[in-house]
Amino acid sequence: MSGYGPFDDFTLFAIAIAVVLSAIVSLIGTSARKRNVALGEATVGDLAEMTGIRDPKKLQEAFGPPDMGRIWRTVTLFDVRRHRQPEGWLMSSDMVDYACLGAVALAIFVSHPLVGGALITALVIQVAGWIVSFGLPK
């Protein structure tokens, strides 16, 4: 990558570690949010991250009004998948995170020029997910 041999492997390894850590944190957060939805305790933050809808008014249009505790008790995971936006895929999709982990596994075991590109793509996807999540309602 850098053009200087000794630093190529270190750079790829550092990128791989960053992608693995980011994907694991994302999977843990997504699991907690799925649990909240499944238990009928979905909050604005849960639905905003899982769907990618940032505006609370649009969330209310999509899922109806919350109860008095600001919790949606009737929303299911199917409803969340049906209203998911592209930002929701970046922030809380298990498939995207597993694909990034797959790119890391491929980079560890296969030495090919295109594998470095796949690793960089996985890093860009993970960073984009974190950037999009900064605008979420609390």
Side-chain angles (χ1 to χ4, degrees):
M1 289 188 114
S2 65
Y4 186 65
F7 294 109
D8 280 345
D9 292 336
F10 175 75
T11 304
L12 289 177
F13 185 72
I15 291 171
I17 293 296
V19 169
V20 166
L21 291 176
S22 176
I24 288 174
V25 168
S26 178
L27 285 169
I28 290 170
T30 301
S31 173
R33 295 195 185 276
K34 282 183 179 180
R35 180 185 166 275
N36 287 345
V37 171
L39 292 176
E41 300 172 356
T43 62
V44 172
D46 295 333
L47 294 177
E49 183 174 329
M50 292 186 73
T51 61
I53 301 173
R54 297 180 187 186
D55 187 15
K57 291 180 182 179
K58 289 186 180 181
L59 277 174
Q60 190 169 349
E61 289 174 8
F63 299 111
D67 65 4
M68 295 301 287
R70 295 184 180 175
I71 294 176
W72 281 267
R73 299 198 187 278
T74 59
V75 175
T76 64
L77 290 172
F78 180 73
D79 295 332
V80 170
R81 268 188 231 113
R82 191 173 57 207
H83 293 288
R84 185 173 275 181
Q85 306 292 321
E87 293 89 3
W89 285 101
L90 281 176
M91 290 183 285
S92 65
S93 174
D94 290 344
M95 291 188 312
V96 171
D97 291 329
Y98 286 134
C100 290
L101 290 174
V104 169
L106 191 66
I108 290 173
F109 296 113
V110 176
S111 177
H112 192 273
L114 293 179
V115 173
L119 193 59
I120 296 295
T121 303
L123 178 68
V124 168
I125 288 170
Q126 291 296 318
V127 169
W130 286 103
I131 290 172
V132 169
S133 70
F134 283 127
L136 291 176
K138 300 293 177 209

